[in-house]
Amino acid sequence: MKTADGCERNEIPVGVLETTSEKTRLYAELTEDFNPIHLDEGFAALTPFKVPIVHGTMGLNLIVDTIDRAMAGIPPGTVVDVRFIKPVPVGAIIRASARRVESDQRYQIDIELPDGQRAVDGTCTIGSNEPVPGNPDF
Amino acid sequence: MNGDGREQWLCFDDFRPGTVLHRLDFVLDDVRRGQWEEIYGSSDRGSRVPAGMLVAAMMQIYIQATRRRPPGNIHAGQLLIFGQPVFWGNTLDGEVSCEEKSLRNGRRWLTFAVSLRKGKQEALQGRIQTIWAL
């Protein structure tokens, strides 16, 4: 994979996001997902999580944005496939990383919590810039 | 009415694979741009929309389609296939459908397919894998 500066890299620069309650509220507005588990401390205290947790795709988007910035745009046909492993407490500073594996196009991607545990992991296979067919069956 | 409150929720049994649940015209406007940049910061992308903004749009369409989802659902996995870039000011056609349902190890798995298109051009295809609570 060539990054935005034209270099071949086994890793792309780490992305960091401080998941404040204000950013979580903005993400709720962006997605219309006002589930109180993300926004209401009193509600969250009654759940197994005990504290508000960020939207899963708010964390995932840190990975997507990190790759997007590094490559000056995600090439068409790029596939991101992840599992959500652990919730991210609101207020946590999370880090996104991508390391090349197997081939030039395939990256191991993850979101790491401050204690080093992974919240999200999966793969990103960089597309070949071929047009993506308009078939929703994928 | 069965008295257990299930009638107020969208339940696993209500979903039919292959059924379109919701469509939405999604305008990539300055309000959304401002919200995105407050969360993730701005960058030198010109008028190109950050790829993650499409993921947020995908979730908005899914959330609108599942307003009556029960508490306790789990977003277990996510597949994204990115298409052609789009630009601020564009309008996207969004569609979400129930793609697949299965019972595995006593859990109710539902997969939703979301597509975002600008005209005939695919911008994003997403697969939202959930464990449904009821």
Side-chain angles (χ1 to χ4, degrees):
Chain A
M1 177 182 89
K2 279 191 169 57
T3 53
D5 56 10
C7 298
E8 292 283 354
R9 287 196 182 145
N10 290 326
E11 295 189 14
I12 64 173
V14 171
V16 179
L17 178 69
E18 183 177 4
T19 62
T20 64
S21 55
E22 173 63 9
K23 287 178 180 174
T24 306
R25 183 188 61 76
L26 284 165
Y27 197 79
E29 290 178 6
L30 199 56
T31 57
E32 297 185 19
D33 184 352
F34 297 99
N35 187 329
I37 191 65
H38 306 302
L39 304 167
D40 184 335
E41 287 185 9
F43 178 89
L46 302 174
T47 72
F49 306 116
K50 304 299 181 192
V51 295
I53 58 173
V54 305
H55 304 75
T57 55
M58 182 173 162
L60 171 59
N61 264 340
L62 177 61
I63 299 176
V64 171
D65 199 50
T66 299
I67 297 169
D68 192 27
R69 287 171 190 258
M71 301 187 69
I74 292 185
T78 295
V79 178
V80 171
D81 190 0
V82 298
R83 294 179 303 141
F84 297 101
I85 301 169
K86 293 185 77 69
V88 175
V90 172
I93 296 173
I94 55 175
R95 299 163 61 85
S97 64
R99 295 171 301 282
R100 185 156 56 185
V101 291
E102 295 178 17
S103 71
D104 284 353
Q105 277 76 38
R106 193 169 169 84
Y107 281 70
Q108 173 71 40
I109 55 177
D110 63 60
I111 289 283
E112 195 177 280
L113 292 162
D115 64 4
Q117 294 194 73
R118 281 179 302 164
V120 180
D121 81 352
T123 59
C124 174
T125 305
I126 303 299
S128 58
N129 274 310
E130 294 295 321
V132 175
N135 180 355
D137 298 323
F138 57 91
Chain B
M1 302 281 280
N2 54 23
D4 66 359
R6 285 180 177 230
E7 59 275 6
Q8 69 178 302
W9 307 117
L10 266 175
C11 295
F12 182 76
D13 291 342
D14 296 327
F15 290 99
R16 299 283 175 268
T19 304
V20 174
L21 302 173
H22 186 51
R23 292 188 173 94
L24 175 70
D25 288 342
F26 188 93
V27 182
L28 294 160
D29 58 20
D30 286 342
V31 173
R32 289 190 164 97
R33 184 175 193 167
Q35 290 169 327
W36 173 268
E37 291 184 351
E38 279 198 57
I39 300 167
Y40 296 100
S42 58
S43 65
D44 184 22
R45 280 182 271 226
S47 60
R48 181 175 63 79
V49 169
M53 183 67 232
L54 300 176
V55 179
M58 174 195 76
M59 288 310 296
Q60 182 182 357
I61 295 166
Y62 164 75
I63 292 295
Q64 286 191 2
T66 58
R67 288 260 182 243
R68 294 189 301 117
R69 64 193 180 283
N73 286 352
I74 296 169
H75 189 168
Q78 183 65 57
L79 182 73
L80 303 166
I81 304 176
F82 290 93
Q84 300 298 319
V86 294
F87 300 91
W88 293 113
N90 287 167
T91 298
L92 304 181
D93 304 319
E95 181 180 288
V96 56
S97 59
C98 174
E99 185 177 75
E100 191 178 342
K101 65 190 286 188
S102 63
L103 283 168
R104 281 180 275 152
N105 300 322
R107 290 181 153 181
R108 305 172 190 87
W109 287 85
L110 280 170
T111 301
F112 299 91
V114 183
S115 68
L116 291 172
R117 291 187 178 90
K118 179 178 174 292
K120 292 182 178 177
Q121 195 175 75
E122 198 80 48
L124 178 72
Q125 298 174 4
R127 251 186 184 170
I128 301 169
Q129 295 167 305
T130 65
I131 301 170
W132 212 255
L134 289 175

